[in-house]
Structure formats: structure tokens, C-alpha cells
Amino acid sequence: MQEPSAGQEPSVPPAPPTPPVPLAALLSWGDLGLRQVTGPPAADVTITWAHTSEMSDPYPYLLGGELLLTAGVHIPRGTGPDTSYFDDYVARIVAAGGAALGFGVAPVHDTVPGALVAACEAYGLPLVEVPPRTTFSGVARAVWQLMARARTAELRRITEAQQGLAAAASRPDPVPSVLRRLAGRLEGRAVLYGPEGTEIAAAGREPSGEVRRALAELARFVTGHASSTATDTAAGTGLTAYALGTGPGFVLGVAAPHRESGDHAIASVAAVLLTLLTGEHQSGTGAARSSALVRLLLGARREEVAPLLGGGDGAGRWYVVHARPTTGVPDAVSASALGTALGSALVDSAQDVVRVLVPAGPRRGAGAAPAEPAAQPGWTIGVSAGVAPAEWPAADVQAARALARAAATRSPLVRHAERRGFADLVPAGEAEAHARALLAPVDAVPALPETLRAWLSLHGSWDRTAVALSVHRNTVRQRIARCAALLEADLDDPDVRMELWFALRHPRA
């Protein structure tokens, strides 16, 4: 592959994916035997790569930050004490952003030319002598290994910081804890600004007044522009502002006296956590749900707190959804995703069933029924009737029965039927009294009422009832036989089944 012509200007490259390494670390690499001849202290110089070139003008081939290695093949013969060639050569390296020059003293030259030493000293370019026994490929390999070590150390530092910030976010005082942890990691100051630019919380070293004013101004700049981040410097302190969320609102400001590789990644993690912690305060939904919970615990009625939970179809109707994954057991992530798909953040995951309290969607037209929860891929779902908040407990029972029926019939979704029947013609009090008396023998034995209800709802199918109840079909047979004996009734008689079914639909507590 041919190199570009000497007159071609290199394009500006992106930042290297790995952190630079100090030149001092390379000089201390024992088996290389490198020696600095002139230039600034090695501890103050960093390199991003090692590149070998014998071109008299290396400018087009350098990206910036390299250790340029040469054996001096390009030096014209007869070049003596005249320094013009070396001045031009070193000037081009410096103009290209080269970090240092490594000169191999073999096989072309026995020593580093004095004129080259003088030019490097004049331009402030570190000059390193490479002994005859050290190959340029060995130097490049050492640079690569040092960069790999630096990258590993950077990733370890970022990972430890992420874990610490996540732990801080789970504390009872999450926002101050995250700011304290971030300020400690960056050895600086971390500030949370509110939507009006006021300082809500802060942690870390108190900066000078100039730095405080500059950081606050940078935060205001972020809120007033489309950019989500901004950087600046004041009094030798690096400043960065991160907008939290998608619109004008909270801002994280960071002031650090020195910047290390990985600091931006660490601060970005803190910004994400603070976005989550402040997001609910911006929308008000988190505070409203907390208020609703507190009121319920203090004795408020469900219909009083329901408006705080949002949603609804204008009539205050809600659905209770019971769902079970078609494979495996639900975890927190999948349960939250289901709630999002159904349009509700009110999710409860217990054992193998996820329960979601879903506000009825808006009606599609005059007299139309409210939008109902729909089937979701990978889930078996039971949906209650649309009810008022006072009827949530009854709807919870309806959803559980609908889920059992969906599992038994292998349907993705089953809804509780709302049609009125003959049973609704009997006064509720009389119907409940009759149900208690009729079913008293089976109500006294655990599992029999639910088995009888499932068996009747599935038209006497042993197999589907076993599936719905997660028991063996022989267990179903034994329980139904026990019910028949206790009730002293022929359960093959349709009239008996009908009467029992009507009775099972009424509460008997």
C-alpha cells in the first residue's frame, strides 16, 4: 500500500479508543534499554502509539501523539554540523503533533547526531535513544502492552465507580449519596441544579467563587440550548454540565481540578442515575403514587386515591390483569415490560403471576366501551371486567379465574364475562345466604371450592381442570368425588351443576 504524497495534509482523526501512556513508563520497561537524550521530563509526556517511518517528511503519516521511530536512513549523506535539515525534520514532527522521537543507533548511525539533539532541544521534542539490541517492533509491542494495561485499569476504575454509584442510588437519600460518591471519585465538586438554575444539592470540595459562578453559568447554558453536555475551564478547574432528561430541567454540574481517563464515563453514569431519580419528580407521577400509597395505608378509600394514580376513561374504570409467562417465571424486568405494554406502572410480581392494575383507556366513540388490555406475546393473560376502584378486590378474583381458564384452554387471553344473567335477578342478600347454606359442606374443606369452580367452568373436563389448578387429573377426580359426597348431589345432573355454579359466583364470607 502506497503512502500519500508528501504534500497531502492528514485529516483530523478521532480520539484513540485507549488511554495514552506516560513516556516514563516506556523508558522504565527494563528489557528495552531506552534512554532519554533531551526534551521535557518523561513523566510529563504521553504517547498514543509507536510509528516507524524513514521518510524525510513524516508529517503526512502522523496522527498526533505518536512515538516516531527512525534509524536515520532518510538523513542525506554528508550532512554535517549544518542543522537546517534536522530543524526542518523536527519542526514537521512537532507540527504533526508527534509526542516523541525515538532514534535507533544501529545499523546506520553509531550515535545520535548532535544536530538532531540540538533541534529536538530547541523545539521541546523528547528524544529517546534506542540501543542496537532493541528492535522497533519490540518498542511498539511494549507500547501496546502498556496501553492495554492502561485500558484495563481504566475499565476497572469505571466499573468500580458504576457499582459505587448504583449502591449510592439505592440508599434512602439517593440524590445526595450519588453526588457524594461522584465527587469523591473525581476528587472535585458535584452539584445538582434545579429547573430554575438553583443549587438543590451539592457534595465535595467547596470551589472558589469564580469556579462556582462559572459552573452555574455552564448549567444555565445547557438548559437553554439543545446540547446535552457542555465543558469549560475556570481557574485551572475543568467544568462539565450534563442535562438530565430530555427537556429543560435538572442539570448535573461537575468541577474537577484534574481530568483523568474515564472521568467522563463515570460522570455520565451518575447523570443517568440522577435522571432516573429526578424524572418522577419532574412528571409528578412518582410523588402521586407515593401519596396514594400513604393515603391507603392511613385508611383512605380506594375511590379517593384512584385519581392520584392517573389514567382512566373518564368514568374511573380500571382493569385488573393477571399474567403468567408462557415459559419460565417472570422477573422484575419482564414484569415491568408487561406493565409498560399494557400502559400502567402499577405492577406486582409475586411467584409465577404478574398482576397489573390498568386504567381503562379512552373511549373510541359515544357509547363505546373503554379500550381493554390486549394479548401480549409470550404471556397468558386473564382480564377482569372494567370496575370502579371500590371493586378492585372483586376484579382481582375475576382476573385470577380468567387466567386459570386461559391456561386451561391454552388461550393467550381470557376476559371475565360481564353479561347479566338469571342470577342477577335474585337479590344479592338472598343469593349470598343461599350460597352459604348450599356450599357450607365444601367450604369447610380447603381446595374443594376452587376445584369445583374450575371443574364446572371447564364443563367437567378433568384434564383442563388439572392444568388450570396445576395438579394431577386424579387429584381433580378425588376432589370432585369428595364434593359430590359432601353435597349429597349428582354432579352429572345439569340442573345441579347450574345451581352450584350460580352459588359459587356469590361471596360467602
Side-chain angles (χ1 to χ4, degrees):
M1 180 174 63
Q2 293 184 343
E3 297 184 73
S5 62
Q8 181 179 347
E9 297 293 325
S11 60
V12 178
T18 56
V21 297
L23 179 60
L26 183 63
L27 296 179
S28 64
W29 200 274
D31 58 352
L32 293 180
L34 303 180
R35 180 179 68 88
Q36 184 173 0
V37 179
T38 188
D44 299 334
V45 179
T46 59
I47 57 178
T48 59
W49 192 235
H51 176 67
T52 301
S53 176
E54 296 298 342
M55 303 299 294
S56 59
D57 182 11
Y59 184 98
Y61 319 118
L62 299 180
L63 299 176
E66 296 94 341
L67 167 63
L68 177 63
L69 299 171
T70 179
V73 177
H74 57 87
I75 300 176
R77 292 187 178 183
T79 302
D82 180 15
T83 61
S84 60
Y85 175 83
F86 295 104
D87 283 345
D88 293 341
Y89 178 70
V90 173
R92 293 294 281 172
I93 296 174
V94 173
L101 175 64
F103 193 88
V105 296
V108 181
H109 299 268
D110 295 332
T111 60
V112 181
L116 178 60
V117 175
C120 288
E121 186 172 355
Y123 283 92
L125 180 67
L127 177 61
V128 177
E129 180 186 87
V130 183
R133 62 182 176 83
T134 300
T135 63
F136 287 172
S137 61
V139 175
R141 182 169 55 250
V143 172
W144 168 257
Q145 292 176 352
L146 286 170
M147 294 180 72
R149 291 181 183 179
R151 182 59 172 167
T152 300
E154 178 189 59
L155 292 176
R156 183 182 298 112
R157 177 170 175 261
I158 293 174
T159 300
E160 291 174 352
Q162 289 176 335
Q163 294 172 344
L165 290 169
S170 65
R171 292 176 57 87
D173 54 342
V175 171
S177 296
V178 169
L179 293 176
R180 284 195 299 269
R181 186 61 62 95
L182 177 62
R185 279 287 178 179
L186 303 185
E187 299 181 357
R189 182 77 167 174
V191 183
L192 177 64
Y193 295 96
E196 294 78 23
T198 56
E199 185 175 306
I200 296 177
R205 300 176 180 176
E206 183 71 31
S208 64
E210 179 184 355
V211 172
R212 290 187 60 181
R213 289 189 295 271
L215 186 59
E217 182 63 28
L218 192 64
R220 285 191 290 271
F221 173 84
V222 169
T223 59
H225 295 76
S227 176
S228 60
T229 61
T231 59
D232 197 0
T233 303
T237 301
L239 310 177
T240 311
Y242 301 84
L244 307 183
T246 57
F250 294 88
V251 176
L252 168 64
V254 178
H258 54 82
R259 288 174 176 157
E260 296 185 13
S261 179
D263 284 356
H264 177 68
I266 294 172
S268 296
V269 172
V272 171
L273 291 173
L274 291 172
T275 297
L276 297 175
L277 293 171
T278 59
E280 289 194 341
H281 292 285
Q282 296 184 66
S283 64
T285 57
R289 287 199 296 268
S290 297
S291 178
L293 175 60
V294 170
R295 295 189 190 185
L296 282 174
L297 292 175
L298 295 179
R301 295 181 300 172
R302 287 179 288 273
E303 53 269 29
E304 294 175 357
V305 303
L308 294 173
L309 301 177
D313 60 344
R317 293 162 61 87
W318 296 75
Y319 294 100
V320 176
V321 173
H322 282 216
R324 183 182 292 116
T326 53
T327 58
V329 295
D331 55 28
V333 175
S334 62
S336 178
L338 175 65
T340 300
L342 294 174
S344 175
L346 305 174
V347 180
D348 172 48
S349 180
Q351 297 180 350
D352 64 336
V353 174
V354 176
R355 299 190 300 175
V356 187
L357 185 58
V358 182
R363 298 174 182 268
R364 303 183 182 89
E372 299 179 348
Q376 302 297 324
W379 293 89
T380 301
I381 296 177
V383 182
S384 74
V387 299
E391 300 174 280
W392 283 347
D396 186 51
V397 175
Q398 294 174 0
R401 294 174 182 172
L403 176 61
R405 187 170 181 81
T409 58
R410 291 180 172 82
S411 302
L413 183 143
V414 169
R415 305 182 191 277
H416 176 76
E418 290 188 286
R419 293 177 300 175
R420 294 178 61 85
F422 287 110
D424 298 315
L425 302 178
V426 180
E430 296 182 13
E432 291 174 10
H434 175 71
R436 282 195 297 270
L438 178 63
L439 297 174
V442 296
D443 282 338
V445 181
L448 290 189
E450 189 61 30
T451 301
L452 181 59
R453 179 185 292 108
W455 182 73
L456 291 173
S457 70
L458 296 171
H459 311 291
S461 171
W462 309 109
D463 292 330
R464 290 194 293 171
T465 304
V467 171
L469 298 177
S470 299
V471 297
H472 195 275
R473 67 194 305 272
N474 289 341
T475 301
V476 176
R477 288 182 176 274
Q478 293 170 2
R479 291 178 181 176
I480 296 301
R482 183 81 183 278
C483 290
L486 291 173
L487 295 171
E488 298 180 353
D490 180 8
L491 299 187
D492 291 330
D493 188 332
D495 291 334
V496 173
R497 291 192 183 190
M498 179 181 65
E499 185 176 4
L500 290 173
W501 178 249
F502 286 156
L504 287 166
R505 292 183 58 192
H506 291 86
R508 303 180 303 281

